Structures are given as structure tokens and as C-alpha cells.
Amino acid sequence: MPSTRSQNQPTIQFPRRKSSRMGPGPKGSSENVVEAHVTPLSPRKMNVGAVPSPSMSPRTCMMKTSQSERLPLSPRKRTGDENGCNLPASLLGSPPKQRCTPLCSPRKLSFSENTPVISSLSHHSPSSRKIPLSPITRPSPKKLSETPCTTPLVKSGGKVPVARLFPVKQSGYQSVKQALHTAVPERLLSREAERAAIVSFLEKHVVEGKPSSLYISGAPGTGKTACLNCVLQEQKALLKGIETVVINCMNLRSSHAIFPLLGEKLGVPKGNGEVRLRKFLTSSGPTVLLVLDEMDQLDSKSQEVLYTIFEWPYLPKSRMCLIGIANALDLTDRILPRLQAKPHCRPQLLNFPPYSREELSAIVQDRLAQSSGETVLDAAAVQFCARKVSAMSGDARKALDICRRAVEVVEAGDRSKIASESGSSPKGSRVSVPQVARVLSEVYGDRMASSSSEGESFPLQQKLLVCCLLLIIRNSKSKEVQLGKLCEVYSKLCKQRQVGGVGQTEGLSLCSLLESRGIFTLKKAKEARLTKISLKIEERDVENALKDRALLGSILAAGLP
Ligand SMILES: Nc1ncnc2c1ncn2[C@@H]1O[C@H](COP(=O)(O)OP(=O)(O)O)[C@@H](O)[C@H]1O
Ligand SMILES: [Mg+2]
């Protein structure tokens, strides 16, 4: 894969790991670099983080890596449901998001609208048709919540909420599940170099009033949002007097909606947003620090919005510093052709590599230690999860979600045991490798979870989704189906066949897996439910792909549920 980064672009370089999904690192990055460093920005700018803090410790993940072993770069755009970023609910124009938890309470893992459809074997409606599941019945996988909602970031010295530890004494399972949250963490592990680079940017540019821009990239779940949150929180004193505005672009209806929203936040009079904003940002006043999370959402056809925003810090007399965050490594490259004419407008780059096995394991273990959860989730299970997730994506959110889900599975098993052996007291089972493997297989497919890659079979939920898509396509003129519609049919089918279904968020992630298997094509939309899904393979090849003629035949014969 060609490098997505311009060779001319100033870069804060971090060494890559073997499991990195990102594209090749910047040229010249040594394999065993310990400290973050930045290539010169422009003739007139000094480097961010050029002199890393002496306390910056080498990250364990910084190992030798061979480029050929890297997985392809495809940080996918995240949809609203998955979005783990932070925007006050009061913002106009926000698509419906999952509810944020109160700031001071331990984070409740709410599945809200994504609550899976779990059809109980004993409580189905008498009228519902009961078609035995063919050929296997799986337990209901619940949704793996994808950071349903983290907490709002700072607005001018506002408080950055963090997930609290666990003051209330709760059941073992309960506190462990809470500890494995995916909100902004109370304690950020690793990321010392990245954190130092951000602090350096704040010190050299924001505090000094020397406008500049920093673009933070990295695959989902690599701690970009969490890290920036933590830095802003820690550096509150440093940022006193700085007008800090944080916007999660995922919540904007369109890329142009950024201008009125920003105007509103900065108190700029309404009307002619872009022009007034430019005037405001170049008139006298305190330094403005604009943080745009999920910035790739501003990507419009001509990239004019992104271009305008990247240009702001470099307008004559500007008082604005910009920190943009997004998954894609190449976001700034895409607008570089227009920035080339003004090399001083190029942002500094800071890439967050995927987490290593050791880092993921440390993150999960740290959470368990906070809740005395080591007795619930055993170390081997954590290691297993960390190994699999680091090989797949290095996504801390996924690792936490999988462990939390494994706890839920065991908890549910305990509950049903208690119910069947009425009267006996709960013993509390341990979550071990098999439970984690089971969740991994629900999320990634069986090949992912099994130690050997042979004998891969298709997870049931994915099979059902494929069948549903096929049924809908056969019954409509269009070849594309929206996720909302697909999930509706799928949940009816699950009920009919007495299988536990998954919610829309996990449905989307399963569809993404099917996309990576080459069976579905997804066209992402801002709202997850509007994602358009179509079959990538011929209808007649579906049976082959599914390797389950019996199930497919029986579902297709029964027609739409
Ligand atoms: N270094 C870390 N230490 C502790 N928890 C982390 C760390 N990195 C990520 N997490 C957890 O994973 C969640 C997802 O990370 P996030 O910063 O939202 O990823 P990104 O913005 O890169 O997609 C965080 O909210 C946090 O709970
Ligand atoms: Mg984020």
C-alpha cells in the first residue's frame, strides 16, 4: 500500500508495531525510536514535541516491525452509534445518540435502542410461528456497546467528566462490568509520548498565542479522544484564559453545519457564519483552541470546509489553534493539494498506533484491579482477548467490550442456573478463556476465536443477516437495503426462530464483518440506521459462502418473517 502521508508533511513520528493496521509509517522513522519527534513544520514554525519530556517512557509496543506484515490500512468511518466522542446533548443538529450518563455516577452500560432482541424460549407469543432453528442454536449475543456515549469535553474551562471508580458496593459482576466501561477513563495508560506531544503543542502554540494546527490520526479505539480529554483535563491551569471549544463532528448534520455551531459556541452574531467567524478569529481577543473530534465527518466533495478550517490558524492576525482528530491517516493528504500552495498551513501530524497485546492487557487488567475484578475475569482470559484484539485491530474499546460481554455471558449463565436450581445461592463463576473465545467468535467470527484457523464456520448471527438481506432484496426492486430495515427483518426472524438477536449497533458491526468477508457492501451514512447495505456476491453464491444449505433453504422457503 502506498504511503498515505505526504513526505513533505511535518509529522510527529512514532514507531509502529507488527499488528498495526495503519499504513506504512513516515519515512525515516527508526524502528526502535523511543521518543516522539516531529519533523520541521515549516520554515517559520518550530516543532511540536520536538523535545519530549524526559519523563516520557518508552512504550512497550514500540517494537521492530516489518512493513510487509502490516494489515492494510482501513480505518473505517465510525457511525453515530459507535461514536465514542463527546458532545453536549444540547447541541442542535445532533442525530439521536445514546444517552450520556450523569457525570458523577459510575457509568451505566445502557443498551437503549440497541438492546438486543432476546427471545425467550418459554415466553414467546402463542401466535408466533415457531420454526426450529437449523442447524444450531446459539445463545443470545447481546450488543457489544461501542462507547455508547462518553462524556462531554471542555468548553472554556468547563469540567471534563471522567468515568468514576466504584464507590458503591455492588455485586462482583456488576462492578467488574462497570470497570470495563469505554467512557473517558479515570486513568490513561500508555500513550506517554502522544500525551507529551499534545502538551507540547499546547505549550508552544496555544499558550504562547502562536496559531498552528495539529492533526491526530489513528484507528478507532486507539485512545485519541481519551488521551486528548485527559490532557485537556490535566492542563486546565495551563489553558486558563484560552477559549476552548470542542466539537464532535459526528453530531453535525452536514459539514457546513460546523460554522453556525461554532459561531454559536464562540458567541459570534448569527448570519453569514463563515465570514463572521473569520473576522472574529482574526480580531483581538483571547486565543481560541478549537478541537474537532471525528473531523473526517467534515469531508465534503470539494473539501472546502476542511480547507477553510485548516486555513484559519494561518490567517493574518489569527488567534486560533486547531486540533483535529480522525481515524484516517490520509485526511490531511487529501486536502494537501490545496494546502501545498501554502506550506505553512500544513498541520503537524500525530499518529496513534494500534495498541499492542501488552498494552491492551494492561488496560483491561488496570480496570479489573480498580474493581477487584481479577477474581471474576482470570488473567489468561484477559491475555487471550488482548492477543486476539491486538492481532485484529489494537482497539482498546473492542477489548474492553469483549471482556465486559464475557462477564455478562457468565453472569447470565449463573442466573439461569440459580433459576433452575431454585433456592441455591449463587456461587459466582469465573470468566475464563472459553467464555472470551465465545464472545470473540460472536464478534469476529469463529476463525478469530479458535486457536487454529482451520474449519472456519460462519457465525449464526451473520448467516441470519445474510439470509435477511437476500429475502428483502428478493422482495423489493432495490438492491440496497438500509440497516434499519435489515435489522427490523432480522429481529423478526430471530423471534420467529427463537434465537437471540443483536441490536442495531452490533448488527452494523456484524455487517462490517460481512463486508470484510467480501459478502456485503456497506455505504456508510451519518446515522447508522441509514447505512446502505447490498450483496457483493451473486445471489447464487450466497449458499456457497454460507456453507449452510439447510438454514438458508428453510429461511428462504418461509419467506419474509
Ligand atoms: N490508554 C488507555 N487507558 C485506559 N483506557 C483506554 C486507553 N485507551 C483507550 N481506552 C478506553 O477505550 C475507550 C475508547 O478510546 P477512545 O479514546 O474513544 O478511542 P478513539 O478516540 O481513538 O476511537 C476509551 O474511552 C477508554 O475507555
Ligand atoms: Mg474518538
CSV table of all heavy atoms in Angstrom, one decimal, residues 78 84-85 147 150 181-185 187-191 218-227 293-294 325 327 352 355 363 367 395-397 400, ligand 1:
chain,number,residue,atom,x,y,z
A,78,ARG,N,-16.6,5.9,11.6
A,78,ARG,CA,-17.5,5.3,12.5
A,78,ARG,C,-18.8,6.1,12.4
A,78,ARG,O,-18.9,7.2,12.2
A,78,ARG,CB,-16.9,5.4,13.9
A,78,ARG,CG,-15.7,4.5,14.0
A,78,ARG,CD,-14.8,4.9,15.1
A,78,ARG,NE,-15.5,5.1,16.3
A,78,ARG,CZ,-15.0,5.9,17.2
A,78,ARG,NH1,-13.9,6.5,17.2
A,78,ARG,NH2,-15.7,6.0,18.3
A,84,GLY,N,-17.6,7.2,20.0
A,84,GLY,CA,-17.3,7.3,21.4
A,84,GLY,C,-16.9,8.7,21.8
A,84,GLY,O,-16.2,9.0,22.8
A,85,CYS,N,-17.3,9.7,21.0
A,85,CYS,CA,-16.8,11.0,21.3
A,85,CYS,C,-17.9,11.9,22.1
A,85,CYS,O,-18.9,11.4,22.4
A,85,CYS,CB,-16.4,11.7,20.0
A,85,CYS,SG,-15.1,10.8,19.4
A,147,THR,N,-18.9,2.2,23.2
A,147,THR,CA,-18.8,3.5,23.8
A,147,THR,C,-20.1,4.3,23.6
A,147,THR,O,-20.1,5.2,22.8
A,147,THR,CB,-17.6,4.4,23.3
A,147,THR,OG1,-16.5,3.5,23.3
A,147,THR,CG2,-17.4,5.5,24.2
A,150,THR,N,-19.6,8.8,25.5
A,150,THR,CA,-18.6,9.2,26.6
A,150,THR,C,-19.1,10.5,27.1
A,150,THR,O,-20.3,10.8,27.0
A,150,THR,CB,-17.2,9.3,26.0
A,150,THR,OG1,-17.3,10.0,24.7
A,150,THR,CG2,-16.6,7.9,25.7
A,181,HIS,N,-15.8,-0.2,31.4
A,181,HIS,CA,-16.5,0.8,30.6
A,181,HIS,C,-15.6,1.3,29.4
A,181,HIS,O,-14.4,1.1,29.5
A,181,HIS,CB,-17.0,2.0,31.4
A,181,HIS,CG,-15.8,2.8,31.9
A,181,HIS,ND1,-15.2,3.8,31.1
A,181,HIS,CD2,-15.1,2.8,33.1
A,181,HIS,CE1,-14.2,4.3,31.8
A,181,HIS,NE2,-14.1,3.8,33.0
A,182,THR,N,-16.3,2.0,28.5
A,182,THR,CA,-15.5,2.6,27.4
A,182,THR,C,-15.7,4.1,27.3
A,182,THR,O,-15.6,4.7,26.3
A,182,THR,CB,-15.8,1.9,26.1
A,182,THR,OG1,-17.2,1.9,25.9
A,182,THR,CG2,-15.3,0.5,26.0
A,183,ALA,N,-16.0,4.6,28.5
A,183,ALA,CA,-16.0,6.1,28.6
A,183,ALA,C,-14.6,6.6,28.8
A,183,ALA,O,-13.7,5.9,28.9
A,183,ALA,CB,-16.9,6.5,29.7
A,184,VAL,N,-14.5,8.0,28.9
A,184,VAL,CA,-13.2,8.5,29.1
A,184,VAL,C,-12.7,8.0,30.4
A,184,VAL,O,-13.3,8.0,31.5
A,184,VAL,CB,-13.3,10.1,29.2
A,184,VAL,CG1,-11.9,10.7,29.6
A,184,VAL,CG2,-13.7,10.6,27.9
A,185,PRO,N,-11.5,7.3,30.4
A,185,PRO,CA,-11.1,6.6,31.6
A,185,PRO,C,-10.5,7.6,32.7
A,185,PRO,O,-10.1,8.7,32.4
A,185,PRO,CB,-9.9,5.8,31.1
A,185,PRO,CG,-9.4,6.5,29.9
A,185,PRO,CD,-10.5,7.3,29.3
A,187,ARG,N,-8.0,6.8,34.5
A,187,ARG,CA,-6.6,6.7,34.4
A,187,ARG,C,-6.2,6.2,33.0
A,187,ARG,O,-6.7,5.2,32.5
A,187,ARG,CB,-6.1,5.7,35.4
A,187,ARG,CG,-4.6,5.7,35.6
A,187,ARG,CD,-4.2,5.0,36.9
A,187,ARG,NE,-4.8,3.7,37.1
A,187,ARG,CZ,-5.2,3.3,38.3
A,187,ARG,NH1,-5.2,4.1,39.3
A,187,ARG,NH2,-5.7,2.1,38.4
A,188,LEU,N,-5.4,7.0,32.3
A,188,LEU,CA,-5.0,6.7,31.0
A,188,LEU,C,-3.7,6.0,31.0
A,188,LEU,O,-2.7,6.5,31.5
A,188,LEU,CB,-4.9,7.9,30.1
A,188,LEU,CG,-4.7,7.7,28.6
A,188,LEU,CD1,-6.1,7.5,28.0
A,188,LEU,CD2,-4.0,8.9,28.0
A,189,LEU,N,-3.6,4.7,30.5
A,189,LEU,CA,-2.4,4.0,30.5
A,189,LEU,C,-1.7,4.2,29.1
A,189,LEU,O,-2.3,4.6,28.2
A,189,LEU,CB,-2.6,2.5,30.7
A,189,LEU,CG,-3.3,2.1,31.9
A,189,LEU,CD1,-3.3,0.6,32.1
A,189,LEU,CD2,-2.7,2.7,33.2
A,190,SER,N,-0.4,4.0,29.1
A,190,SER,CA,0.4,4.1,27.9
A,190,SER,C,0.3,5.6,27.4
A,190,SER,O,0.0,6.5,28.1
A,190,SER,CB,0.1,3.2,26.8
A,190,SER,OG,-0.1,1.9,27.3
A,191,ARG,N,0.5,5.7,26.1
A,191,ARG,CA,0.3,7.0,25.4
A,191,ARG,C,1.1,8.1,26.0
A,191,ARG,O,0.7,9.3,25.9
A,191,ARG,CB,-1.2,7.3,25.4
A,191,ARG,CG,-2.1,6.3,24.6
A,191,ARG,CD,-1.6,6.2,23.2
A,191,ARG,NE,-2.5,5.3,22.4
A,191,ARG,CZ,-2.0,4.5,21.5
A,191,ARG,NH1,-0.7,4.5,21.2
A,191,ARG,NH2,-2.8,3.8,20.8
A,218,GLY,N,-5.5,7.9,13.8
A,218,GLY,CA,-5.3,6.6,14.4
A,218,GLY,C,-6.6,5.8,14.3
A,218,GLY,O,-7.7,6.4,14.3
A,219,ALA,N,-6.5,4.5,14.2
A,219,ALA,CA,-7.6,3.7,14.1
A,219,ALA,C,-8.6,3.8,15.3
A,219,ALA,O,-8.2,4.3,16.3
A,219,ALA,CB,-7.2,2.2,13.9
A,220,PRO,N,-9.9,3.4,15.1
A,220,PRO,CA,-10.8,3.5,16.2
A,220,PRO,C,-10.3,2.8,17.5
A,220,PRO,O,-9.7,1.7,17.4
A,220,PRO,CB,-12.1,2.8,15.7
A,220,PRO,CG,-12.0,2.9,14.2
A,220,PRO,CD,-10.5,2.9,13.9
A,221,GLY,N,-10.6,3.4,18.6
A,221,GLY,CA,-10.2,2.7,19.9
A,221,GLY,C,-8.7,2.8,20.2
A,221,GLY,O,-8.3,2.1,21.1
A,222,THR,N,-8.0,3.7,19.6
A,222,THR,CA,-6.6,3.8,19.9
A,222,THR,C,-6.3,4.8,21.0
A,222,THR,O,-5.2,5.2,21.2
A,222,THR,CB,-5.7,4.0,18.7
A,222,THR,OG1,-6.2,5.1,17.9
A,222,THR,CG2,-5.7,2.8,17.8
A,223,GLY,N,-7.4,5.4,21.5
A,223,GLY,CA,-7.2,6.3,22.6
A,223,GLY,C,-7.1,7.8,22.3
A,223,GLY,O,-6.7,8.6,23.1
A,224,LYS,N,-7.4,8.1,21.1
A,224,LYS,CA,-7.3,9.5,20.6
A,224,LYS,C,-8.1,10.5,21.5
A,224,LYS,O,-7.6,11.4,22.1
A,224,LYS,CB,-7.6,9.7,19.1
A,224,LYS,CG,-6.8,8.8,18.2
A,224,LYS,CD,-7.2,9.0,16.8
A,224,LYS,CE,-8.6,8.6,16.4
A,224,LYS,NZ,-9.0,7.2,16.6
A,225,THR,N,-9.4,10.2,21.5
A,225,THR,CA,-10.3,11.0,22.3
A,225,THR,C,-10.0,11.0,23.7
A,225,THR,O,-9.9,12.0,24.4
A,225,THR,CB,-11.8,10.6,22.0
A,225,THR,OG1,-12.0,10.6,20.6
A,225,THR,CG2,-12.8,11.4,22.7
A,226,ALA,N,-9.8,9.8,24.3
A,226,ALA,CA,-9.5,9.7,25.7
A,226,ALA,C,-8.2,10.4,26.0
A,226,ALA,O,-8.2,11.1,27.1
A,226,ALA,CB,-9.3,8.2,26.0
A,227,CYS,N,-7.2,10.3,25.2
A,227,CYS,CA,-5.9,11.0,25.5
A,227,CYS,C,-6.1,12.5,25.5
A,227,CYS,O,-5.6,13.2,26.4
A,227,CYS,CB,-4.9,10.5,24.5
A,227,CYS,SG,-3.3,11.0,24.8
A,293,ASP,N,-13.3,16.7,17.0
A,293,ASP,CA,-13.1,15.3,17.0
A,293,ASP,C,-14.0,14.7,15.8
A,293,ASP,O,-14.9,15.3,15.4
A,293,ASP,CB,-13.7,14.7,18.4
A,293,ASP,CG,-13.1,13.4,18.7
A,293,ASP,OD1,-12.4,12.8,17.8
A,293,ASP,OD2,-13.2,13.0,19.9
A,294,GLU,N,-13.6,13.5,15.4
A,294,GLU,CA,-14.2,12.9,14.2
A,294,GLU,C,-14.3,13.8,13.1
A,294,GLU,O,-15.3,14.0,12.4
A,294,GLU,CB,-15.6,12.4,14.6
A,294,GLU,CG,-15.7,11.5,15.8
A,294,GLU,CD,-15.3,10.1,15.6
A,294,GLU,OE1,-15.0,9.7,14.5
A,294,GLU,OE2,-15.3,9.4,16.6
A,325,ILE,N,-9.1,15.6,15.1
A,325,ILE,CA,-8.9,14.2,15.4
A,325,ILE,C,-9.7,13.4,14.4
A,325,ILE,O,-10.9,13.7,14.1
A,325,ILE,CB,-9.4,13.9,16.8
A,325,ILE,CG1,-8.7,14.8,17.8
A,325,ILE,CG2,-9.1,12.4,17.1
A,325,ILE,CD1,-9.3,14.6,19.2
A,327,ASN,N,-9.9,9.2,12.3
A,327,ASN,CA,-9.3,7.9,12.1
A,327,ASN,C,-8.3,7.8,10.9
A,327,ASN,O,-7.3,7.1,11.0
A,327,ASN,CB,-10.4,6.8,11.8
A,327,ASN,CG,-11.4,6.7,13.0
A,327,ASN,OD1,-11.0,7.0,14.1
A,327,ASN,ND2,-12.6,6.2,12.7
A,352,PHE,N,-1.7,7.9,16.3
A,352,PHE,CA,-1.8,6.9,17.4
A,352,PHE,C,-1.8,5.5,16.9
A,352,PHE,O,-2.7,5.1,16.2
A,352,PHE,CB,-3.1,7.1,18.2
A,352,PHE,CG,-3.1,8.2,19.2
A,352,PHE,CD1,-2.7,9.5,18.8
A,352,PHE,CD2,-3.6,8.0,20.5
A,352,PHE,CE1,-2.7,10.5,19.8
A,352,PHE,CE2,-3.6,9.0,21.4
A,352,PHE,CZ,-3.1,10.3,21.1
A,355,TYR,N,-3.0,-0.4,19.7
A,355,TYR,CA,-2.4,-0.9,21.0
A,355,TYR,C,-1.8,-2.3,20.8
A,355,TYR,O,-2.4,-3.1,20.0
A,355,TYR,CB,-3.5,-1.0,22.1
A,355,TYR,CG,-3.8,0.4,22.7
A,355,TYR,CD1,-5.1,0.9,22.5
A,355,TYR,CD2,-2.9,1.1,23.3
A,355,TYR,CE1,-5.5,2.1,23.1
A,355,TYR,CE2,-3.2,2.4,23.9
A,355,TYR,CZ,-4.5,2.9,23.7
A,355,TYR,OH,-4.9,4.1,24.2
A,363,ILE,N,-4.4,-2.4,30.0
A,363,ILE,CA,-5.6,-1.5,30.2
A,363,ILE,C,-6.7,-2.3,30.9
A,363,ILE,O,-7.4,-1.8,31.8
A,363,ILE,CB,-6.1,-1.0,28.8
A,363,ILE,CG1,-5.1,0.1,28.3
A,363,ILE,CG2,-7.5,-0.4,28.9
A,363,ILE,CD1,-5.3,0.5,26.8
A,367,ARG,N,-8.3,-1.9,34.8
A,367,ARG,CA,-9.7,-1.7,35.2
A,367,ARG,C,-10.2,-2.8,36.2
A,367,ARG,O,-10.9,-2.5,37.1
A,367,ARG,CB,-10.6,-1.9,33.9
A,367,ARG,CG,-10.3,-0.9,32.8
A,367,ARG,CD,-10.7,0.5,33.3
A,367,ARG,NE,-10.4,1.5,32.2
A,367,ARG,CZ,-11.2,1.7,31.2
A,367,ARG,NH1,-12.4,1.1,31.1
A,367,ARG,NH2,-10.9,2.6,30.2
A,395,ASP,N,-7.6,-2.2,19.2
A,395,ASP,CA,-8.7,-1.3,19.6
A,395,ASP,C,-9.1,-1.6,21.1
A,395,ASP,O,-9.6,-2.6,21.4
A,395,ASP,CB,-9.9,-1.6,18.6
A,395,ASP,CG,-11.1,-0.7,18.9
A,395,ASP,OD1,-11.2,-0.2,20.1
A,395,ASP,OD2,-12.0,-0.6,18.1
A,396,ALA,N,-8.8,-0.6,21.9
A,396,ALA,CA,-9.0,-0.8,23.3
A,396,ALA,C,-10.5,-0.9,23.6
A,396,ALA,O,-10.9,-1.6,24.5
A,396,ALA,CB,-8.4,0.4,24.1
A,397,ARG,N,-11.3,-0.2,22.8
A,397,ARG,CA,-12.7,-0.2,23.1
A,397,ARG,C,-13.2,-1.7,22.9
A,397,ARG,O,-14.0,-2.2,23.7
A,397,ARG,CB,-13.4,0.7,22.1
A,397,ARG,CG,-14.9,0.9,22.4
A,397,ARG,CD,-15.6,1.8,21.4
A,397,ARG,NE,-15.2,3.2,21.5
A,397,ARG,CZ,-14.5,3.8,20.6
A,397,ARG,NH1,-14.0,3.2,19.6
A,397,ARG,NH2,-14.2,5.1,20.8
A,400,LEU,N,-12.2,-4.0,25.8
A,400,LEU,CA,-13.0,-3.8,27.0
A,400,LEU,C,-14.4,-4.3,26.7
A,400,LEU,O,-15.0,-5.0,27.6
A,400,LEU,CB,-13.1,-2.3,27.3
A,400,LEU,CG,-11.7,-1.7,27.8
A,400,LEU,CD1,-11.7,-0.2,27.7
A,400,LEU,CD2,-11.5,-2.1,29.2
B,1,LIG,N1,-4.7,4.3,27.2
B,1,LIG,C1,-5.9,4.0,27.7
B,1,LIG,N2,-6.0,3.7,29.0
B,1,LIG,C2,-7.2,3.4,29.5
B,1,LIG,N3,-8.3,3.3,28.8
B,1,LIG,C3,-8.2,3.5,27.5
B,1,LIG,C4,-7.0,3.8,26.9
B,1,LIG,N4,-7.2,4.0,25.5
B,1,LIG,C5,-8.5,3.7,25.3
B,1,LIG,N5,-9.1,3.4,26.4
B,1,LIG,C6,-10.5,3.1,26.6
B,1,LIG,O1,-11.1,2.9,25.3
B,1,LIG,C7,-12.1,3.8,25.0
B,1,LIG,C8,-12.0,4.2,23.6
B,1,LIG,O2,-10.9,5.0,23.3
B,1,LIG,P1,-11.1,6.4,22.5
B,1,LIG,O3,-10.2,7.4,23.0
B,1,LIG,O4,-12.5,6.8,22.4
B,1,LIG,O5,-10.6,5.9,21.1
B,1,LIG,P2,-10.6,6.7,19.7
B,1,LIG,O6,-11.0,8.1,20.0
B,1,LIG,O7,-9.2,6.6,19.3
B,1,LIG,O8,-11.5,6.0,18.8
B,1,LIG,C9,-11.8,5.0,25.9
B,1,LIG,O9,-12.9,5.8,26.2
B,1,LIG,C10,-11.3,4.3,27.2
B,1,LIG,O10,-12.3,3.8,28.0
